[in-house]
Amino acid sequence: MLDKFVFVSVPVQVMLYPSAAYGALKPVINQNGLESELCDLNILLSQKLNEDEFEDLYNWSAFAKSDINTELKNKVIDIASTRLDNFSGWLAISVFSFYNTRIVNLLLNHIKGKQRNYKILLGGNGCTASLSDFENKEFGQYCLDNQLCDYVIFGEGEVALNELLKGNNTYPGINKNNFEQVENLDSLDFPDYKDIDWSHYVDPRLMITGSRGCVRKCTFCDIELTWPKFRYRSAKNIVEEIKKNFYETGIKQFEFTDSLINGSVSNFNKFNELLIDEKAKDPALADIFYTGQFICRPKKHMPERTYELMYNAGCKQITVGIESFSERVRNHMKKKFSDEDIDYHFEMCGRWNIPNVLLLIVGYPTETREDHQSNINALYKYKKYSDMGTIFMSRWGFTMHIYDGTPISAMKDELGIVEVDKGNEDAVFNWISTKNPDLDLAERIKRRVEIHEVSSKLGYTMPNSRKELQTLLSISKDYVAQKSVLIPITQS
């Protein structure tokens, strides 16, 4: 029997579709003579925990709750152990973001000191997150220092994993944050999803990566830590992958993992043109469609022809980081688009039937009450696009959080950002700005609730609003209650 390479996806991540990292790494695993297996603990724990338990686990993982009770921790360990014990080979845990670090730490401390026949490997963006829970070290380095794992791959995984499995543990990025970015993404093997049990997922789709990195350097984003340079695949290579995975799985929905699918507008246009051509050649491809993250650009960079190509190629939805409807706030964020650009973007998407999921942030450090009012005014202004489905949904999240590694964390002195002392608790949510003293946590939560109430009144679709409001309540209890500040939150 072959040794196993068990790839573990942990909460909190979406449970609609399987990990893209597993598909990308599977060719490397198999080429090195290992049997690959996906263990999605997001699915397993959602099936075994009750609603309140999973809610507590979610909030703790998202750093909106300082701790969970020992009984729940033991239950999580017991459930995970049924899938992670008694095999030989490799246990590889995906630390997708800092949201995954607490549960990974919980599992690794359970395993530590036990007899095992596998090596433990960590990888993913969360390995570079520096949080007070973990001595303010990068999480991957913290785990190495505390003998919680054998190896950490920092940065991109395909080449480094291949080197590690061949015995080269000194390759850049292995156990040291000195990774080298892959220059030619076309050189990587196409992902392999043939062994996925799609019955576990409520919205089956195939993840596809057209680019890595971003053409923007937004202050709140840490993407540059993993991909300092923007790199993209050729349009032809992307279309060939879509065809291969469709023929192998029959899945027609593709979601891009890119930070932005229109990073190179010329390559994006070429991709759409080629996909349209391939659909014309083979009717079996006709119903293939795609979704992805997108940046709002000025009209001169995004002529109407681009939106027309998107529609004809099968673009069914884009996720756009508007972040704030205050141009002043967006300028500080380095978003690089104007109010007029937003107007034009919505007009084009309305004309070509391209629904938008909007990502927005409440309580950015420079946000004033006037900026907050700009967000509210925009909800009234763009209601027509919500009514017609062009704004398919709005994602306001919780409130602005700050953690080390993002550009804004290096601006703490400039912005007067001070993390409120909470002992050993993490302060990603609980901060104040001496330059904008009215914007404390209580005020940020009040603004978030006000946004919810106006959005609800105007009929905007807000998925997970109940969960987000419950998380806000949890944050309130953890960080505000000691000040006797009552935060009125209605759940509608």
Side-chain angles (χ1 to χ4, degrees), residues 141-215:
Q141 190 61 52
Y142 170 86
C143 292
L144 289 169
D145 292 346
N146 288 277
Q147 293 81 50
L148 296 175
C149 64
D150 300 293
Y151 299 103
V152 175
I153 291 180
F154 294 94
E156 295 169 313
E158 294 93 342
V159 178
L161 177 60
N162 187 52
E163 293 295 322
L164 179 60
L165 295 180
K166 291 183 182 303
N168 178 13
N169 58 16
T170 62
Y171 187 80
I174 298 175
N175 286 1
K176 191 174 182 181
N177 194 354
N178 64 342
F179 64 90
E180 296 178 353
Q181 196 171 345
V182 176
E183 290 292 330
N184 180 12
L185 297 181
D186 284 0
S187 67
L188 300 176
D189 290 328
F190 291 155
D192 184 345
Y193 294 99
K194 290 193 296 292
D195 68 342
I196 297 293
D197 184 350
W198 297 99
S199 66
H200 292 309
Y201 300 97
V202 297
D203 188 17
R205 66 185 74 174
L206 288 169
M207 309 303 287
I208 186 166
T209 298
S211 65
R212 290 176 178 173
C214 190
V215 298

Coordinates of all heavy atoms in Angstrom, one line a residue, residues 141-215:
Q141 N 6.5 29.9 11.7 CA 7.7 29.8 12.5 C 7.4 29.4 13.9 O 8.2 28.7 14.5 CB 8.4 31.2 12.4 CG 9.8 31.2 13.0 CD 10.7 30.2 12.3 OE1 10.9 30.3 11.1 NE2 11.4 29.3 13.0
Y142 N 6.3 29.9 14.4 CA 5.9 29.6 15.8 C 5.7 28.0 15.9 O 6.1 27.4 16.9 CB 4.6 30.3 16.1 CG 3.9 29.8 17.4 CD1 4.2 30.3 18.6 CD2 2.9 28.8 17.4 CE1 3.6 29.9 19.8 CE2 2.3 28.4 18.5 CZ 2.7 28.9 19.7 OH 2.1 28.4 20.9
C143 N 5.1 27.4 14.9 CA 4.8 26.0 15.0 C 6.2 25.2 14.9 O 6.4 24.2 15.5 CB 3.9 25.6 13.8 SG 2.2 26.1 14.1
L144 N 7.1 25.7 14.1 CA 8.4 25.1 14.0 C 9.2 25.2 15.3 O 9.7 24.2 15.8 CB 9.2 25.7 12.8 CG 8.8 25.4 11.4 CD1 9.5 26.3 10.4 CD2 9.1 23.9 11.1
D145 N 9.1 26.4 15.9 CA 9.9 26.6 17.1 C 9.4 25.8 18.3 O 10.1 25.4 19.2 CB 9.8 28.1 17.5 CG 10.6 29.0 16.5 OD1 11.4 28.5 15.7 OD2 10.4 30.2 16.6
N146 N 8.1 25.5 18.2 CA 7.4 24.7 19.3 C 7.3 23.2 19.0 O 6.5 22.5 19.7 CB 6.1 25.4 19.7 CG 6.3 26.7 20.4 OD1 6.5 26.7 21.6 ND2 6.2 27.8 19.7
Q147 N 8.0 22.8 17.9 CA 8.0 21.4 17.5 C 6.5 20.8 17.3 O 6.2 19.7 17.6 CB 8.7 20.5 18.6 CG 10.2 20.7 18.7 CD 10.5 21.9 19.6 OE1 10.0 22.0 20.7 NE2 11.3 22.8 19.1
L148 N 5.7 21.7 16.7 CA 4.3 21.3 16.4 C 4.2 20.7 15.0 O 3.2 20.1 14.7 CB 3.4 22.5 16.5 CG 3.2 23.1 17.9 CD1 2.4 24.4 17.9 CD2 2.7 22.1 18.9
C149 N 5.2 20.9 14.2 CA 5.2 20.3 12.8 C 6.6 20.1 12.4 O 7.6 20.5 13.1 CB 4.5 21.3 11.9 SG 5.4 22.9 11.6
D150 N 6.8 19.3 11.3 CA 8.1 19.0 10.8 C 8.5 20.0 9.7 O 9.7 20.4 9.7 CB 8.1 17.6 10.2 CG 7.7 16.5 11.2 OD1 8.5 16.3 12.2 OD2 6.6 16.0 11.1
Y151 N 7.6 20.4 8.9 CA 7.9 21.3 7.8 C 6.8 22.4 7.6 O 5.7 22.1 7.9 CB 8.1 20.6 6.5 CG 9.2 19.5 6.5 CD1 8.9 18.2 6.7 CD2 10.5 19.9 6.4 CE1 9.9 17.2 6.7 CE2 11.5 18.9 6.5 CZ 11.2 17.6 6.6 OH 12.2 16.7 6.7
V152 N 7.3 23.5 7.2 CA 6.3 24.6 6.7 C 6.8 25.0 5.3 O 8.0 25.2 5.1 CB 6.4 25.8 7.7 CG1 5.5 26.9 7.1 CG2 5.9 25.4 9.1
I153 N 5.9 25.1 4.4 CA 6.1 25.7 3.1 C 5.6 27.1 3.1 O 4.4 27.3 3.2 CB 5.6 24.9 2.0 CG1 6.3 23.6 1.8 CG2 5.6 25.7 0.6 CD1 5.8 22.7 0.7
F154 N 6.4 28.1 3.0 CA 6.0 29.5 2.9 C 5.9 29.9 1.4 O 6.8 29.5 0.6 CB 7.1 30.4 3.6 CG 7.2 30.3 5.1 CD1 8.1 29.4 5.6 CD2 6.3 31.0 5.9 CE1 8.2 29.3 7.0 CE2 6.4 30.8 7.3 CZ 7.4 30.0 7.8
G155 N 4.9 30.6 1.1 CA 4.7 31.0 -0.3 C 4.1 29.9 -1.2 O 3.4 29.0 -0.6
E156 N 4.3 29.9 -2.5 CA 3.7 29.0 -3.4 C 4.2 27.6 -3.1 O 5.3 27.3 -2.8 CB 4.0 29.4 -4.8 CG 3.3 30.7 -5.2 CD 3.8 31.3 -6.5 OE1 5.1 31.3 -6.7 OE2 3.0 31.7 -7.3
G157 N 3.2 26.6 -3.3 CA 3.5 25.3 -2.9 C 4.0 24.3 -3.9 O 4.6 23.3 -3.6
E158 N 3.6 24.4 -5.2 CA 3.8 23.4 -6.2 C 5.3 22.9 -6.3 O 5.6 21.7 -6.2 CB 3.3 23.8 -7.6 CG 1.8 24.0 -7.6 CD 1.4 25.4 -7.4 OE1 2.2 26.2 -6.8 OE2 0.2 25.7 -7.7
V159 N 6.2 23.9 -6.6 CA 7.6 23.5 -6.8 C 8.2 23.1 -5.5 O 9.0 22.1 -5.4 CB 8.3 24.7 -7.4 CG1 9.8 24.4 -7.6 CG2 7.7 25.1 -8.8
A160 N 7.9 23.9 -4.4 CA 8.6 23.6 -3.1 C 8.1 22.2 -2.6 O 9.0 21.5 -2.0 CB 8.2 24.7 -2.1
L161 N 6.9 21.9 -2.8 CA 6.4 20.5 -2.3 C 7.1 19.4 -3.1 O 7.5 18.4 -2.5 CB 4.9 20.4 -2.5 CG 4.3 19.1 -2.1 CD1 4.6 18.7 -0.6 CD2 2.8 19.0 -2.3
N162 N 7.2 19.6 -4.4 CA 7.9 18.6 -5.2 C 9.3 18.4 -4.7 O 9.8 17.3 -4.6 CB 7.9 19.1 -6.7 CG 8.5 18.0 -7.6 OD1 8.0 16.8 -7.6 ND2 9.4 18.4 -8.4
E163 N 10.0 19.5 -4.4 CA 11.4 19.4 -3.9 C 11.4 18.7 -2.5 O 12.3 17.9 -2.3 CB 12.0 20.8 -3.8 CG 12.3 21.5 -5.1 CD 13.3 20.7 -6.0 OE1 14.3 20.2 -5.4 OE2 13.1 20.7 -7.2
L164 N 10.5 19.1 -1.7 CA 10.5 18.5 -0.3 C 10.2 17.0 -0.4 O 10.9 16.2 0.3 CB 9.4 19.1 0.5 CG 9.2 18.6 1.9 CD1 10.5 18.8 2.8 CD2 8.0 19.3 2.6
L165 N 9.3 16.5 -1.2 CA 9.0 15.1 -1.3 C 10.1 14.3 -2.0 O 10.2 13.1 -1.8 CB 7.7 14.9 -2.2 CG 6.4 15.5 -1.5 CD1 5.2 15.2 -2.4 CD2 6.2 14.9 -0.1
K166 N 11.0 15.0 -2.7 CA 12.2 14.4 -3.3 C 13.3 14.4 -2.3 O 14.4 13.9 -2.6 CB 12.5 15.1 -4.6 CG 11.5 14.9 -5.7 CD 12.0 15.5 -7.0 CE 11.0 15.3 -8.1 NZ 10.7 13.9 -8.4
G167 N 13.1 15.0 -1.1 CA 14.2 15.0 -0.1 C 15.0 16.3 0.0 O 15.9 16.4 0.8
N168 N 14.7 17.3 -0.8 CA 15.4 18.5 -0.7 C 14.7 19.5 0.2 O 13.8 20.3 -0.2 CB 15.5 19.1 -2.1 CG 16.2 20.5 -2.1 OD1 16.9 20.9 -1.1 ND2 16.2 21.2 -3.2
N169 N 15.0 19.5 1.5 CA 14.3 20.3 2.5 C 15.0 21.7 2.7 O 14.7 22.4 3.6 CB 14.2 19.6 3.8 CG 15.5 19.1 4.4 OD1 16.6 19.6 4.0 ND2 15.4 18.2 5.4
T170 N 16.0 22.0 1.8 CA 16.6 23.3 1.9 C 16.2 24.2 0.7 O 16.7 25.3 0.6 CB 18.2 23.2 1.8 OG1 18.5 22.6 0.5 CG2 18.7 22.3 2.9
Y171 N 15.2 23.7 -0.1 CA 14.7 24.6 -1.2 C 14.1 25.8 -0.6 O 13.4 25.8 0.5 CB 13.7 23.8 -2.0 CG 13.2 24.5 -3.2 CD1 14.0 24.4 -4.4 CD2 12.0 25.2 -3.2 CE1 13.6 25.1 -5.5 CE2 11.6 25.8 -4.4 CZ 12.4 25.8 -5.5 OH 12.0 26.4 -6.7
P172 N 14.2 27.0 -1.3 CA 13.7 28.2 -0.8 C 12.2 28.1 -0.5 O 11.4 27.6 -1.3 CB 13.9 29.2 -1.9 CG 15.1 28.7 -2.6 CD 15.0 27.2 -2.5
G173 N 11.8 28.6 0.7 CA 10.4 28.5 1.1 C 10.1 27.4 2.1 O 9.0 27.4 2.7
I174 N 11.0 26.4 2.2 CA 10.8 25.3 3.1 C 11.5 25.6 4.5 O 12.7 25.8 4.6 CB 11.4 24.0 2.5 CG1 10.7 23.6 1.2 CG2 11.3 22.8 3.5 CD1 11.3 22.4 0.5
N175 N 10.6 25.7 5.5 CA 11.0 26.1 6.8 C 11.7 27.4 7.0 O 12.4 27.7 8.0 CB 11.9 25.0 7.4 CG 11.1 23.7 7.8 OD1 9.9 23.7 7.6 ND2 11.8 22.7 8.3
K176 N 11.6 28.2 6.0 CA 12.2 29.6 6.0 C 11.4 30.5 5.0 O 11.1 30.1 3.9 CB 13.6 29.5 5.6 CG 14.4 30.8 5.9 CD 15.9 30.6 5.6 CE 16.7 31.9 6.0 NZ 18.1 31.8 5.7
N177 N 11.1 31.6 5.5 CA 10.3 32.5 4.7 C 11.2 33.3 3.7 O 11.3 34.5 3.7 CB 9.5 33.5 5.5 CG 8.4 34.3 4.7 OD1 8.3 34.1 3.5 ND2 7.6 35.1 5.4
N178 N 11.7 32.5 2.8 CA 12.6 33.0 1.7 C 12.2 32.5 0.4 O 13.0 32.2 -0.5 CB 14.1 32.7 2.0 CG 14.3 31.2 2.0 OD1 13.4 30.4 2.1 ND2 15.6 30.8 1.8
F179 N 10.9 32.2 0.2 CA 10.3 31.6 -1.0 C 10.6 32.4 -2.3 O 10.8 33.6 -2.2 CB 8.8 31.3 -0.9 CG 8.0 32.6 -0.8 CD1 7.5 33.2 -2.0 CD2 7.7 33.2 0.4 CE1 6.8 34.3 -1.9 CE2 7.0 34.3 0.5 CZ 6.5 34.9 -0.7
E180 N 10.7 31.7 -3.4 CA 10.8 32.3 -4.7 C 9.5 32.1 -5.4 O 9.0 31.0 -5.6 CB 12.0 31.6 -5.4 CG 13.3 31.8 -4.8 CD 14.5 31.1 -5.5 OE1 14.2 30.3 -6.5 OE2 15.6 31.3 -5.1
Q181 N 9.0 33.2 -6.0 CA 7.8 33.2 -6.7 C 7.9 32.5 -8.1 O 9.0 32.7 -8.7 CB 7.3 34.6 -6.9 CG 5.8 34.7 -7.3 CD 5.3 36.1 -7.2 OE1 6.0 37.0 -6.7 NE2 4.2 36.4 -7.9
V182 N 7.0 31.7 -8.4 CA 7.0 31.0 -9.7 C 6.8 32.1 -10.8 O 5.8 32.8 -10.8 CB 5.9 30.0 -9.8 CG1 5.8 29.4 -11.2 CG2 6.0 28.9 -8.8
E183 N 7.8 32.1 -11.7 CA 7.7 33.2 -12.8 C 6.8 32.8 -13.9 O 6.0 33.6 -14.4 CB 9.1 33.4 -13.3 CG 10.1 34.1 -12.4 CD 9.7 35.5 -12.1 OE1 9.1 36.2 -13.0 OE2 10.0 36.0 -11.0
N184 N 6.8 31.5 -14.3 CA 6.0 31.1 -15.4 C 4.9 30.2 -15.0 O 5.1 29.0 -14.8 CB 6.9 30.4 -16.5 CG 6.1 29.9 -17.7 OD1 4.9 30.3 -17.9 ND2 6.7 29.0 -18.5
L185 N 3.7 30.7 -14.7 CA 2.6 29.9 -14.2 C 2.1 28.9 -15.3 O 1.5 27.9 -14.9 CB 1.4 30.9 -13.8 CG 1.7 31.8 -12.7 CD1 0.4 32.7 -12.4 CD2 2.1 31.1 -11.4
D186 N 2.4 29.1 -16.5 CA 2.0 28.2 -17.6 C 2.8 26.9 -17.4 O 2.4 25.8 -18.0 CB 2.2 28.7 -19.0 CG 1.1 29.7 -19.4 OD1 0.2 30.0 -18.6 OD2 1.2 30.3 -20.5
S187 N 3.9 26.9 -16.7 CA 4.7 25.7 -16.6 C 4.2 24.7 -15.5 O 4.6 23.6 -15.5 CB 6.1 26.1 -16.1 OG 6.1 26.6 -14.8
L188 N 3.2 25.1 -14.8 CA 2.6 24.2 -13.7 C 1.6 23.3 -14.3 O 0.9 23.6 -15.3 CB 2.0 25.1 -12.6 CG 2.9 26.1 -11.9 CD1 2.0 26.9 -10.9 CD2 4.0 25.3 -11.2
D189 N 1.5 22.1 -13.8 CA 0.5 21.1 -14.2 C -0.9 21.6 -13.9 O -1.1 22.3 -12.9 CB 0.7 19.8 -13.5 CG 2.0 19.1 -13.9 OD1 2.4 19.2 -15.1 OD2 2.6 18.4 -13.1
F190 N -1.8 21.2 -14.7 CA -3.2 21.5 -14.5 C -3.7 20.8 -13.2 O -3.3 19.7 -13.0 CB -4.1 21.1 -15.6 CG -3.9 21.9 -16.9 CD1 -4.2 21.4 -18.1 CD2 -3.4 23.2 -16.9 CE1 -4.1 22.1 -19.3 CE2 -3.3 23.9 -18.0 CZ -3.6 23.4 -19.2
P191 N -4.5 21.5 -12.4 CA -5.0 20.8 -11.2 C -5.8 19.5 -11.5 O -6.3 19.4 -12.6 CB -5.9 21.9 -10.6 CG -5.4 23.2 -11.1 CD -4.9 22.9 -12.5
D192 N -6.0 18.7 -10.5 CA -6.6 17.4 -10.7 C -7.7 17.3 -9.7 O -7.4 17.2 -8.5 CB -5.6 16.2 -10.6 CG -6.2 14.9 -10.8 OD1 -7.4 14.7 -10.9 OD2 -5.4 13.9 -11.0
Y193 N -9.0 17.2 -10.1 CA -10.1 17.1 -9.2 C -10.9 15.8 -9.4 O -12.0 15.6 -8.9 CB -11.1 18.2 -9.4 CG -10.5 19.6 -9.1 CD1 -10.0 20.4 -10.0 CD2 -10.5 20.0 -7.7 CE1 -9.5 21.7 -9.7 CE2 -10.0 21.3 -7.4 CZ -9.5 22.1 -8.4 OH -9.0 23.3 -8.1
K194 N -10.3 14.8 -10.1 CA -11.1 13.6 -10.4 C -11.6 12.8 -9.2 O -12.6 12.1 -9.3 CB -10.2 12.7 -11.3 CG -9.9 13.3 -12.7 CD -9.4 12.2 -13.7 CE -8.0 11.7 -13.2 NZ -7.0 12.8 -13.3
D195 N -10.9 12.8 -8.1 CA -11.3 11.9 -7.0 C -12.2 12.7 -6.0 O -12.5 12.1 -4.9 CB -10.1 11.4 -6.3 CG -9.3 12.4 -5.5 OD1 -9.4 13.6 -5.8 OD2 -8.4 12.1 -4.7
I196 N -12.6 13.9 -6.2 CA -13.5 14.6 -5.3 C -14.8 14.0 -5.2 O -15.5 13.7 -6.2 CB -13.6 16.1 -5.7 CG1 -12.2 16.8 -5.7 CG2 -14.6 16.8 -4.8 CD1 -11.6 16.9 -4.3
D197 N -15.3 13.8 -4.0 CA -16.7 13.4 -3.8 C -17.6 14.6 -3.7 O -17.7 15.3 -2.7 CB -16.8 12.6 -2.4 CG -18.2 12.1 -2.2 OD1 -19.1 12.4 -3.0 OD2 -18.4 11.3 -1.3
W198 N -18.2 15.0 -4.9 CA -18.9 16.2 -5.0 C -20.2 16.2 -4.2 O -20.8 17.3 -4.0 CB -19.2 16.5 -6.5 CG -18.0 16.7 -7.3 CD1 -17.3 15.7 -8.1 CD2 -17.2 17.8 -7.3 NE1 -16.2 16.3 -8.6 CE2 -16.1 17.6 -8.2 CE3 -17.3 19.1 -6.8 CZ2 -15.1 18.5 -8.5 CZ3 -16.3 20.1 -7.1 CH2 -15.2 19.8 -7.9
S199 N -20.7 15.1 -3.7 CA -21.9 15.0 -3.0 C -21.8 15.8 -1.6 O -22.8 16.1 -1.0 CB -22.3 13.6 -2.7 OG -21.4 12.9 -1.8
H200 N -20.6 16.0 -1.1 CA -20.4 16.7 0.1 C -20.6 18.2 0.0 O -20.7 18.9 1.0 CB -19.0 16.5 0.7 CG -18.7 15.1 1.1 ND1 -19.6 14.4 2.0 CD2 -17.7 14.2 0.8 CE1 -19.1 13.2 2.2 NE2 -18.0 13.1 1.5
Y201 N -20.7 18.7 -1.3 CA -20.7 20.2 -1.5 C -22.0 20.6 -2.1 O -22.4 20.0 -3.1 CB -19.5 20.5 -2.4 CG -18.1 20.2 -1.7 CD1 -17.5 19.0 -2.0 CD2 -17.6 21.0 -0.7 CE1 -16.3 18.6 -1.4 CE2 -16.4 20.6 -0.1 CZ -15.8 19.4 -0.5 OH -14.6 19.0 0.2
V202 N -22.5 21.7 -1.5 CA -23.9 22.1 -1.9 C -23.8 22.9 -3.2 O -24.9 23.1 -3.9 CB -24.5 23.0 -0.8 CG1 -24.7 22.1 0.4 CG2 -23.7 24.2 -0.5
D203 N -22.7 23.4 -3.6 CA -22.6 24.3 -4.8 C -21.3 23.8 -5.6 O -20.3 24.6 -5.6 CB -22.5 25.7 -4.4 CG -22.6 26.6 -5.7 OD1 -23.0 26.2 -6.7 OD2 -22.3 27.8 -5.5
P204 N -21.3 22.7 -6.2 CA -20.1 22.1 -6.9 C -19.6 23.1 -7.9 O -20.3 23.6 -8.8 CB -20.6 20.8 -7.5 CG -21.8 20.4 -6.7 CD -22.5 21.7 -6.3
R205 N -18.3 23.4 -7.8 CA -17.6 24.2 -8.8 C -16.2 23.9 -8.8 O -15.6 23.3 -7.8 CB -17.8 25.7 -8.5 CG -17.2 26.1 -7.2 CD -17.5 27.6 -6.8 NE -18.9 27.7 -6.3 CZ -19.4 28.8 -5.9 NH1 -18.6 29.9 -5.8 NH2 -20.6 28.9 -5.4
L206 N -15.5 24.2 -9.9 CA -14.1 23.9 -10.0 C -13.3 25.3 -9.8 O -13.7 26.3 -10.5 CB -13.7 23.3 -11.3 CG -14.2 21.8 -11.5 CD1 -14.0 21.4 -12.9 CD2 -13.3 20.9 -10.6
M207 N -12.3 25.3 -9.0 CA -11.5 26.5 -8.8 C -10.4 26.5 -9.9 O -9.9 25.5 -10.2 CB -10.9 26.5 -7.4 CG -11.9 26.2 -6.3 SD -13.3 27.4 -6.3 CE -12.5 28.9 -5.7
I208 N -10.2 27.7 -10.4 CA -9.1 27.8 -11.4 C -8.3 29.1 -11.1 O -8.9 30.1 -10.6 CB -9.8 27.9 -12.8 CG1 -8.7 27.9 -13.9 CG2 -10.7 29.1 -12.9 CD1 -9.2 27.6 -15.3
T209 N -7.0 29.0 -11.3 CA -6.2 30.2 -11.0 C -5.6 30.7 -12.3 O -4.9 30.0 -13.0 CB -5.0 29.7 -10.0 OG1 -5.5 29.3 -8.8 CG2 -4.1 30.9 -9.8
G210 N -6.0 31.9 -12.6 CA -5.5 32.6 -13.8 C -4.3 33.5 -13.5 O -3.5 33.8 -14.4
S211 N -4.2 34.0 -12.3 CA -3.1 34.9 -11.9 C -2.8 34.8 -10.4 O -3.6 34.3 -9.6 CB -3.5 36.3 -12.3 OG -4.6 36.8 -11.5
R212 N -1.7 35.3 -10.0 CA -1.3 35.3 -8.6 C -0.7 36.7 -8.3 O 0.0 37.2 -9.1 CB -0.3 34.2 -8.3 CG -0.9 32.8 -8.3 CD 0.1 31.7 -8.0 NE -0.5 30.4 -8.0 CZ 0.1 29.3 -8.0 NH1 1.5 29.3 -7.9 NH2 -0.5 28.1 -7.9
G213 N -1.1 37.2 -7.2 CA -0.7 38.6 -6.9 C -1.7 39.6 -7.3 O -2.9 39.2 -7.7
C214 N -1.4 40.8 -7.2 CA -2.4 41.9 -7.5 C -1.7 43.1 -8.1 O -0.5 43.3 -7.8 CB -3.1 42.3 -6.2 SG -4.5 43.3 -6.5
V215 N -2.4 43.8 -8.9 CA -1.8 45.1 -9.5 C -2.0 46.2 -8.6 O -1.6 47.3 -8.8 CB -2.4 45.4 -10.9 CG1 -2.1 44.3 -11.9 CG2 -4.0 45.6 -10.8

